[in-house]
Amino acid sequence: MKATAMSVALFAGQALWAQDAALPKSMVWTSYDLGSTGYVEASAMADALDKQFGTTIRITPSGTGIGRLLPLKTKRANFGFMGNEILFAAEGSYEFAAKDWGPQDTRVLLGRPAAVGLITGLDTDIETMADVRGKRVGYVQANPSIDMNIAAELAFGGLTKDDIEPVVYPGYGAMVQGFIAGEIDVVTVTPTVAALREAEGGRGVRWIDMPGSDAEGWARVNESSSVFSPTTMTVGVSISEDDPAELLGYRYPQLSTYADVSEDEVYALIKALDESYDLFKDGNQVMSRWNLEDAGTSPAGAPFHPGAIKYLREKGVWTEEDDAWNEARLAELEKIKAAWPEALAKADSEGVSDDDWPAYWEAYKAEMLN
């Protein structure tokens, strides 16, 4: 009888918490594929919300940016755990340059800090980013995220793709194996890629630092992309507390939705995640970085949702600098949204084919933003 009473009290307590957070009884989230970091972290959060608030969450995984965002656009899903596709969608770039997509009004709630950088082998003479000039750099076919990362990394050293020898691989794994085999001199990776352990025991691994103190280098990075900021990593392949790496800081995964989702709904979710943090923070070695102080600040792949900003401001996390970044990003994206129908009409009058449209749009957008 005591056990029953205790269970009833516990259930009642959970119900009151759920009422306080105003969470729905069920939600649908999208994420990267099964087994991916995004899926693992989304699952840990979903389990925490179920335990603490009784909210059931179904996760729909997809291997493509379109597959992760389309359910949000069509309102078949509430939120998504996104990567750089949230940036591409906001700007109508790459796959989102298709005429039935275009710039999307996407918004971010939280984004876990992550890092990416260039490595080289100990068998090369590359010590700084400027030394990458003329070297063989790995790329992945039809992978705009890697293209964006490398462009920013090269920009730090005052270089562009024209200054290096690109070597294109059919997939990410093949590119890393190409580096291990010595086919290329430089590759962009995250610090915890397990396959790099093989290189560490072979040709060796040297991270090419991007010091936050190099104001000119980081000014060039920010001209290349607005989503990166300096970060220092102390965990990873050939990285330690005694030998850290200074890399590109970015956000992955980014808990995202559309701008028209209600402020109350977003506020309730971020509040519930904050209150259930202790239940999911040990889900993997980096999941503790979903705390508000790390995950609730700019920059991100899209502007932050007003509902998220409201809660982050209440918790003392959101600053004037975050506001300034967010307002500037919103203004830039409004220009892009306004340019889309103009570009479509102009392309139609000039007889631009559907195949030529993406390149036409990118050129029009670049001219409009300059």
Side-chain angles (χ1 to χ4, degrees):
M1 190 69 177
K2 286 183 179 179
T4 302
M6 186 178 296
S7 298
V8 171
L10 178 61
F11 178 80
Q14 287 181 339
L16 287 172
W17 276 66
Q19 184 178 11
D20 179 53
L23 286 177
K25 292 182 178 180
S26 64
M27 284 187 279
V28 178
W29 294 352
T30 66
S31 79
Y32 273 69
D33 286 334
L34 291 168
S36 68
T37 298
Y39 185 85
V40 169
E41 296 186 13
S43 298
M45 288 182 175
D47 184 58
L49 294 183
D50 184 23
K51 288 178 178 177
Q52 184 148 334
F53 300 106
T55 295
T56 301
I57 297 168
R58 179 166 59 88
I59 300 173
T60 305
S62 175
T64 69
I66 293 289
R68 288 184 290 277
L69 194 62
L70 183 59
L72 273 65
K73 182 181 181 182
T74 57
K75 306 303 180 186
R76 295 198 303 271
N78 308 85
F79 301 95
F81 283 71
M82 305 292 185
N84 285 334
E85 67 270 14
I86 203 68
L87 167 68
F88 304 147
E91 296 188 347
S93 298
Y94 300 106
E95 63 264 51
F96 298 100
K99 290 183 177 179
D100 56 347
W101 275 92
Q104 301 294 299
D105 248 346
T106 51
R107 296 291 184 270
V108 170
L109 282 70
L110 296 170
R112 177 177 61 74
V116 66
L118 286 182
I119 59 168
T120 188
L122 297 181
D123 54 354
T124 75
D125 60 357
I126 301 171
E127 298 283 347
T128 69
M129 202 65 73
D131 296 334
V132 178
R133 185 184 298 275
K135 299 300 193 293
R136 299 167 299 173
V137 179
Y139 283 77
V140 175
Q141 186 176 9
N143 191 313
S145 291
I146 285 181
D147 291 349
M148 182 178 72
N149 293 346
I150 296 175
E153 290 155 350
L154 292 175
F156 181 86
L159 306 175
T160 70
K161 194 173 184 179
D162 292 336
D163 296 312
I164 53 95
E165 181 184 341
V167 181
V168 181
Y169 289 87
Y172 184 80
M175 178 183 68
V176 174
Q177 289 302 315
F179 173 80
I180 293 170
E183 298 171 358
I184 49 179
D185 305 303
V186 175
V187 67
T188 185
V189 289
T190 57
T192 55
V193 173
L196 288 183
R197 295 294 180 190
E198 188 177 341
E200 191 177 35
R203 68 186 297 198
V205 171
R206 178 189 299 123
W207 291 90
I208 306 173
D209 282 328
M210 305 173 65
S213 59
D214 187 337
E216 292 183 0
W218 274 98
R220 291 191 293 269
V221 169
N222 292 332
E223 287 179 7
S224 176
S225 176
S226 65
V227 303
F228 298 118
S229 59
T231 192
T232 300
M233 297 300 294
T234 57
V235 176
V237 176
S238 295
I239 297 175
S240 66
E241 291 281 354
D242 295 328
D243 187 19
E246 296 183 88
L247 307 175
L248 287 177
Y250 71 110
R251 307 289 171 147
Y252 173 74
Q254 297 177 79
L255 178 56
S256 309
T257 192
Y258 271 77
D260 61 357
V261 173
S262 79
E263 186 173 316
D264 289 343
E265 184 176 352
V266 170
Y267 180 94
L269 177 57
I270 191 172
K271 180 177 188 291
L273 288 172
D274 182 32
E275 292 173 349
S276 60
Y277 172 76
D278 286 343
L279 294 178
F280 64 75
K281 65 181 177 63
D282 297 321
N284 62 26
Q285 64 178 347
V286 295
M287 202 159 181
S288 61
R289 302 191 78 182
W290 279 105
N291 68 81
L292 295 185
E293 289 75 13
D294 286 334
T297 59
S298 61
F304 278 72
H305 194 285
I309 293 173
K310 179 182 177 181
Y311 188 75
L312 293 169
R313 184 173 282 127
E314 287 177 4
K315 300 297 286 188
V317 173
W318 194 256
T319 66
E320 291 181 2
E321 289 77 11
D322 293 317
D323 253 337
W325 179 88
N326 212 60
E327 290 303 317
R329 191 71 179 121
L330 283 167
E332 183 178 42
L333 294 179
E334 284 300 316
K335 289 182 182 178
I336 293 174
K337 283 170 55 182
W340 176 260
E342 297 171 359
L344 283 173
K346 187 176 180 183
D348 186 55
S349 67
E350 295 176 7
V352 176
S353 69
D354 286 349
D355 289 341
D356 292 336
W357 160 252
Y360 182 93
W361 161 240
E362 289 299 326
Y364 188 94
K365 180 171 58 174
E367 182 179 356
M368 179 272 303
L369 289 176
N370 288 333

